[in-house]
Amino acid sequence: MTLPRPLPRTLVGQVILLVALALFVAQAINFALLLQERNRLQLTGQTAPAVYRIVDALDARGEREDEPRRARFVEGAPTLEGEERPDIARRATTMFSDIGLAIHSVRAVEHRRVLPLRRWEKIRMRATGTHENPRRGGSIMLAAEYEKGRWVIAEARLAGPPPRFGGWLIGQTLILYIIVLLPLLWVGRRLARPLRQLTGAARQFARTGAADPVDEGGPGDVRDLTTAFNAMRARIIAMLDEKDRMLGAIGHDLRTPLASLRVRAESVEDEGERTRMSQTIDEMNRMLEDILSLARAGRSTEEPQKVDLASLADAVVEDFVELGSPVDMADSDRAVALVRPQQIRRALRNLIENAIVYGDRAHVTVAREGDMIRLTVADEGPGIAEDRMDEMLEPFTRMEGSRNRETGGAGLGLALVRAIMAEHHGQLRLANRPEGGLEASLVLPG
């Protein structure tokens, strides 16, 4: 089972994902810092009114005693009822220190009670004619020991909860993503388009040996890469064309003396010697044809066409049967595929010849397996050792060391079949049969 890839496959997708993750981390850090500062400001806002009243009360000591004060002085440690708020006590201590006021000890408690209405609230209620609605609220009781054993106590209301800023932060993040990622996406598409064209041209070149030049566009680095690819493509095509011309010349130059040898062989009076010479000339012709076909593999000029592979295999088998070869074919349903018919004929013929030479008989079947079509040639021979399966697909490799056609030829058949399958995006598969013999299969996309 293949697990899904955690990252996009394309370079542009990975860059965009990386930038998106970096923005997310930056916004997360920003959120943490904002939350920390917001909590500090909230704590300061809760502490400042009570601190102000204590400072005001300490500054006004010794003045008129009949003036109303919002702080009271007590002797001895006061008893404060409510929930201890050490965070407010620490913040108050810092604020006292910041203004240069020496305080020995600070205590703070929070308690809930029905709060009296403020003056503006009473005015509004009289103006609207509504009745007083008792409401519960919080207050902070702050006690500061300004001298040994002497305390001053002040009370202040707690401010309401601060407005939420999560939605604002989410909106800010979305705007940031739009501002950063949209231009990045545009640049990525501009970068990816020539890269996709370059990839397509490279794949086409690997498959067919020819490809159209790629438009030289995009950023400078990509344009330089495209230019280098086009230059390499032109040079490789020129080399392949030169190779084809050279192979054509070699084939022509070798066939001429072989034809001359055949004519001379006909003048030999000894029939046995004449037959052996003709067989040798035929063997050289077949070997020359195999070598040239293998050298030209991947640059076929034959156009692909839709072919019923069952009918094609039946025609090939019929040719062998007419020559008296021990070949049979199982009944098969239609199996249409886009192939180069002459190449598939050549591949199937090579497998059947190998089966006859090494395995006495050839049994041919054609079957559809999902979206693939399998042409199988089975024999009744000794098979191939498992450790030599891959070796047998290499050129000039045979089961035994001689080059006698009757025992296997030059060892180019399977190599040529594999090259034909590669050109058709298929596979040549070899496997030993449980009941004995070798099974060679041409697996083609249907």
Side-chain angles (χ1 to χ4, degrees):
M1 179 180 178
T2 303
L3 296 177
R5 294 173 60 92
L7 294 177
R9 299 181 63 89
T10 63
L11 173 63
V12 174
Q14 292 180 11
V15 170
I16 291 177
L17 178 61
L18 181 62
V19 173
L21 290 176
L23 288 178
F24 177 80
V25 172
Q27 283 297 95
I29 296 173
N30 182 41
F31 175 79
L33 294 176
L34 286 176
L35 183 61
Q36 181 180 2
E37 181 63 17
R38 174 175 175 267
N39 291 337
R40 191 185 71 84
L41 292 176
Q42 181 181 4
L43 185 62
T44 301
Q46 293 175 342
T47 308
V51 169
Y52 169 76
R53 292 181 179 182
I54 289 177
V55 172
D56 182 63
L58 291 175
D59 288 344
R61 281 182 301 172
E63 296 180 3
R64 295 180 54 183
E65 297 295 334
D66 57 346
E67 288 186 1
R69 303 213 178 272
R70 292 179 291 180
R72 56 191 178 89
F73 294 89
V74 297
E75 297 289 339
T79 301
L80 302 178
E81 297 181 356
E83 179 184 356
E84 292 285 343
R85 290 291 302 271
D87 55 339
I88 291 182
R90 288 193 298 270
R91 184 59 184 152
T93 302
T94 302
M95 294 176 72
F96 286 133
S97 176
D98 289 342
I99 62 178
L101 186 60
I103 298 295
H104 299 286
S105 178
V106 177
R107 288 182 57 198
V109 297
E110 176 186 352
H111 60 89
R112 297 285 176 176
R113 61 185 179 84
V114 177
L115 297 176
L117 293 175
R118 294 183 176 91
R119 181 180 303 173
W120 63 267
E121 292 177 331
K122 294 179 180 179
I123 296 174
R124 186 186 62 185
M125 292 180 64
R126 283 198 297 267
T128 58
T130 57
H131 298 287
E132 182 177 339
N133 184 19
R135 58 186 179 87
R136 299 188 63 82
S139 64
I140 288 294
M141 189 73 71
L142 187 66
E145 185 181 14
Y146 61 94
E147 292 178 0
K148 289 296 184 181
R150 295 185 176 182
W151 294 73
V152 58
I153 303 172
E155 184 178 8
R157 297 190 185 194
L158 283 175
R164 297 180 179 179
F165 68 106
W168 170 82
L169 190 63
I170 292 175
Q172 181 195 56
T173 304
L174 292 177
I175 293 174
L176 187 62
Y177 269 74
I178 292 173
I179 292 175
V180 174
L181 293 185
L182 283 183
L184 185 61
L185 181 62
W186 177 80
V187 172
R189 289 175 64 88
R190 185 169 177 264
L191 174 66
R193 188 180 301 110
L195 289 179
R196 282 196 301 268
Q197 294 177 353
L198 185 61
T199 302
R203 288 175 177 170
Q204 181 185 2
F205 192 85
R207 184 172 65 252
T208 64
D212 297 330
V214 181
D215 295 334
E216 298 177 5
D221 294 343
V222 178
R223 190 164 55 251
D224 292 342
L225 175 62
T226 304
T227 303
F229 172 82
N230 287 335
M232 180 186 69
R233 165 195 161 278
R235 185 174 181 183
I236 292 176
I237 289 178
M239 293 173 61
L240 292 175
D241 291 340
E242 181 64 25
K243 182 201 73 170
D244 288 344
R245 287 192 293 270
M246 180 184 67
L247 290 174
I250 290 174
H252 179 270
D253 291 345
L254 289 179
R255 286 191 181 97
T256 299
L258 287 174
S260 177
L261 285 175
R262 182 179 295 279
V263 172
R264 293 183 181 183
E266 295 298 328
S267 63
V268 175
E269 295 181 357
D270 188 333
E271 183 177 352
E273 185 66 22
R274 185 171 62 248
T275 301
R276 285 192 294 272
M277 291 177 66
S278 295
Q279 290 175 346
T280 300
I281 293 171
D282 290 339
E283 168 64 17
M284 294 177 67
N285 273 317
R286 285 191 291 265
M287 187 183 302
L288 175 62
E289 187 65 29
D290 286 345
I291 292 174
L292 294 177
S293 296
L294 183 61
R296 292 192 179 107
R299 288 176 59 82
S300 175
T301 57
E302 183 184 7
E303 290 297 326
Q305 53 185 293
K306 288 188 176 182
V307 176
D308 180 9
L309 296 182
S311 299
L312 184 147
D314 185 67
V316 174
V317 170
E318 188 65 27
D319 292 341
F320 279 93
V321 172
E322 289 179 357
L323 295 174
S325 300
V327 183
D328 61 76
M329 178 176 173
D331 293 336
S332 305
D333 295 331
R334 282 174 56 84
V336 178
L338 186 66
V339 297
R340 293 179 170 89
Q342 295 304 320
Q343 289 192 353
I344 299 301
R345 285 176 182 272
R346 182 70 180 275
L348 187 58
R349 189 179 298 116
N350 284 2
L351 295 184
I352 293 176
E353 288 177 352
N354 283 348
I356 294 173
V357 171
Y358 290 110
D360 300 330
R361 295 189 62 85
H363 307 283
V364 181
T365 58
V366 180
R368 179 176 289 277
E369 299 177 353
D371 58 350
M372 306 297 288
I373 298 175
R374 181 189 291 265
L375 287 77
T376 303
V377 178
D379 61 43
E380 299 176 0
I384 300 176
E386 295 293 337
D387 59 349
R388 296 199 63 190
M389 287 287 188
D390 294 336
E391 178 186 353
M392 295 307 299
L393 300 178
E394 297 299 325
F396 305 106
T397 302
R398 298 176 62 251
M399 290 290 292
E400 49 85 33
S402 74
R403 294 300 175 192
N404 187 349
R405 185 70 182 183
E406 294 180 356
T407 58
L412 293 172
L414 292 180
L416 180 57
V417 173
R418 184 176 67 169
I420 292 174
M421 287 299 98
E423 190 171 354
H424 284 78
H425 304 288
Q427 287 182 319
L428 168 62
R429 298 178 184 175
L430 302 180
N432 290 313
R433 304 169 67 197
E435 62 272 24
L438 181 69
E439 183 179 88
S441 299
L442 307 178
V443 182
L444 293 160

